[in-house]
């Protein structure tokens, strides 16, 4: 690689970072609708057509910026996991769940782009940067659940008792995990995830403000319920 090429790549990377910073600023300060190609271009001092040299479409720009958010959230969860490396597996799982809530409540606009916005066809593609970053996020909790299943299998339903359509879907999902979680264990994992995700959405989107002014004890109760489901110690310190 020539020095000229290397310099050009560094300049391009610096511009991409500036574009992402501008898009995030617009999102946080003005909302999702404000993040247009022209608005971002104005923030970084270029024309709309010039920005298309970096992103071919608005969907591609949104996917790239959302990938940044996924990486940031995954890093916070990984830091919580690694910060409890000497703790029990249950404590590591709870620490990761608490880190997920801490990041989400501190970054509601970014959370909205990750979890509360439709995923466009471009960003559903397995080779999209958004999809790849989402996989890193998914792996943090998934790997811990796989480790738990391998070392201390948790209670699972009888697969035959589940509806046929659900069995088929769980079997297909288990195959994407290379069987690391069998279908019935995948069912428990997904049930735990949807409870956490649903509660976080309700909190971050202020859907429970009519009843709660402090959601932390509600989330902690949810963690205790999930710990019981998984056969974990639910008294790990918050």
């Amino acid at each position: 690689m020539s020095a000229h090429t290397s310099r050009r790549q560094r300049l391009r990377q610096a511009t991409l970072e500036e574009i992402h910073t501008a898009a995030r600023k617009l999102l946080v300060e003005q909302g999702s609708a404000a993040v247009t190609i022209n608005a971002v271009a104005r923030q970084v001092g270029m024309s709309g057509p010039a920005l298309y040299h970096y992103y071919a479409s608005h969907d591609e720009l949104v996917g790239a910026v959302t990938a940044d958010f996924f990486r940031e959230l995954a890093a916070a969860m990984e830091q919580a996991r690694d910060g409890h490396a000497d703790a029990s597996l249950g404590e590591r799982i709870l620490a990761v769940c608490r880190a997920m809530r801490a990041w989400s409540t501190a970054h509601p606009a970014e959370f909205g782009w990750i979890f509360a916005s439709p995923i466009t066809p471009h960003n559903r593609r397995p080779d999209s940067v958004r999809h790849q970053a989402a996989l890193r996020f998914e792996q943090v909790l998934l790997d811990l659940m796989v480790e738990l299943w391998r070392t201390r299998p948790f209670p699972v339903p009888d697969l035959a008792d589940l509806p046929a359509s659900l069995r088929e879907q769980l079997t297909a999902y288990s195959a994407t995990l290379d069987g690391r979680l069998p279908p019935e264990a995948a069912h428990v994992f997904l049930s735990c995830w949807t409870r956490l995700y649903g509660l976080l959405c309700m909190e971050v989107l202020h859907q429970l403000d009519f009843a709660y002014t402090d959601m932390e004890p509600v989330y902690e109760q949810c963690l205790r319920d999930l710990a019981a489901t998984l056969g974990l110690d639910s008294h790990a310190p918050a």
Side-chain angles (χ1 to χ4, degrees):
M1 181 185 297
S2 69
H4 178 70
T5 301
S6 178
R7 180 174 181 276
R8 186 167 61 229
Q9 289 179 338
R10 289 198 303 272
L11 289 173
R12 180 178 177 82
Q13 184 59 39
T15 303
L16 288 172
E17 291 173 3
E18 190 177 357
I19 290 170
H20 289 199
T21 299
R24 186 173 193 168
K25 185 173 187 291
L26 287 166
L27 172 67
V28 171
E29 295 181 356
Q30 300 181 42
S32 183
V35 188
T36 65
I37 290 290
N38 287 333
V40 173
R42 282 194 299 272
Q43 289 285 320
V44 298
M46 67 172 64
S47 67
L51 196 142
Y52 282 109
H53 290 296
Y54 297 90
Y55 292 107
S57 66
H58 179 262
D59 280 352
E60 189 176 319
L61 169 63
V62 169
V65 177
T66 305
D68 282 348
F69 302 158
F70 265 122
R71 295 185 195 102
E72 191 176 303
L73 172 55
M77 294 165 66
E78 290 163 352
Q79 183 177 17
R81 177 200 62 199
D82 297 344
H84 293 75
D86 296 328
S88 69
L89 183 54
E91 287 182 77
R92 280 182 280 149
I93 290 174
L94 294 177
V96 164
C97 292
R98 289 175 179 128
M100 182 169 67
R101 175 178 178 267
W103 187 92
S104 300
T105 55
H107 303 90
E110 294 90 335
F111 175 91
W113 262 23
I114 290 178
F115 294 120
S117 299
I119 304 175
T120 63
H122 169 82
N123 288 311
R124 287 196 199 100
R125 288 167 28 196
D127 62 343
S128 72
V129 292
R130 185 196 187 281
H131 183 78
Q132 293 300 314
L135 287 179
R136 174 184 169 186
F137 158 75
E138 177 190 14
Q139 287 299 129
V140 182
L141 190 55
L142 175 61
D143 286 348
L144 290 170
M145 290 289 284
V146 168
E147 182 181 350
L148 178 63
W149 176 253
R150 189 177 66 249
T151 58
R152 292 177 52 190
F154 40 84
V156 295
D158 188 331
L159 202 59
D161 292 337
L162 300 177
S165 174
L166 185 54
R167 290 200 303 271
E168 292 173 6
Q169 294 173 81
L170 290 170
T171 300
Y173 176 63
S174 175
T176 69
L177 306 178
D178 298 324
R180 292 186 297 154
L181 286 178
E184 57 271 32
H187 178 57
V188 174
F189 165 63
L190 292 171
S191 297
C192 291
W193 163 241
T194 52
R195 283 196 62 185
L196 287 176
Y197 165 73
L199 186 57
L200 271 179
C201 278
M202 295 286 277
E203 178 178 8
V204 175
L205 300 179
H206 301 284
Q207 296 298 310
L208 291 172
D209 285 5
F210 68 91
Y212 298 113
T213 58
D214 179 10
M215 285 291 295
E216 183 173 1
V218 180
Y219 192 79
E220 287 296 319
Q221 180 60 57
C222 180
L223 291 184
R224 285 193 291 273
D225 293 344
L226 295 183
T229 297
L230 298 172
L232 298 174
D233 177 13
S234 63
H235 301 293

